[in-house]
Amino acid sequence: MDWQALQNRTNTAALAAFGAAIVLDGDVVQGDFHAPADEVFLDGVSAMASKPQVVLYDADVPAAPVGKRCMAGGASWIVADARPDGHGMTTLFLERAL
């Protein structure tokens, strides 16, 4: 089995189903935005996001993303932290832009 190809297909399917256009540092990319009060249920287990975040392809993350502007969920944000998941996606943690 080609693990990389499976990861790419899974990531693409997830963003196609749950993603939306996100403006990150002036570029429009596909990302999945989670508001701070979003609760996710997976097989009977739930998790609450404490900070707004957007998940996107590693390739769509600019170099040194911390401090860059992001428009998502109808609001303007600043990237506070970026954490790659090791499987082709990166979670950007956001703070409200002033």
Side-chain angles (χ1 to χ4, degrees), residues 54-91:
V54 64
V55 179
L56 59 156
Y57 296 114
D58 289 346
D60 289 336
V61 178
V66 174
K68 306 274 188 199
R69 286 202 166 267
C70 179
M71 293 291 296
S76 182
W77 308 93
I78 299 293
V79 177
D81 192 14
R83 297 185 192 166
D85 70 1
H87 300 287
M89 304 295 281
T90 295
T91 300

Side-chain angles (χ1 to χ4, degrees), residues 3-29:
W3 180 247
Q4 186 65 44
L6 178 60
Q7 282 183 308
N8 290 339
R9 285 196 312 271
T10 302
N11 292 344
T12 299
L15 283 185
F18 303 110
I22 306 290
V23 179
L24 178 59
D25 196 31
D27 293 326
V28 178
V29 296

Side-chain angles (χ1 to χ4, degrees), residues 33-42 44-51 53:
F33 175 72
H34 301 271
D38 277 358
E39 192 165 7
V40 178
F41 294 94
L42 298 171
V45 178
S46 68
M48 181 76 69
S50 61
K51 287 187 174 184
Q53 50 195 274

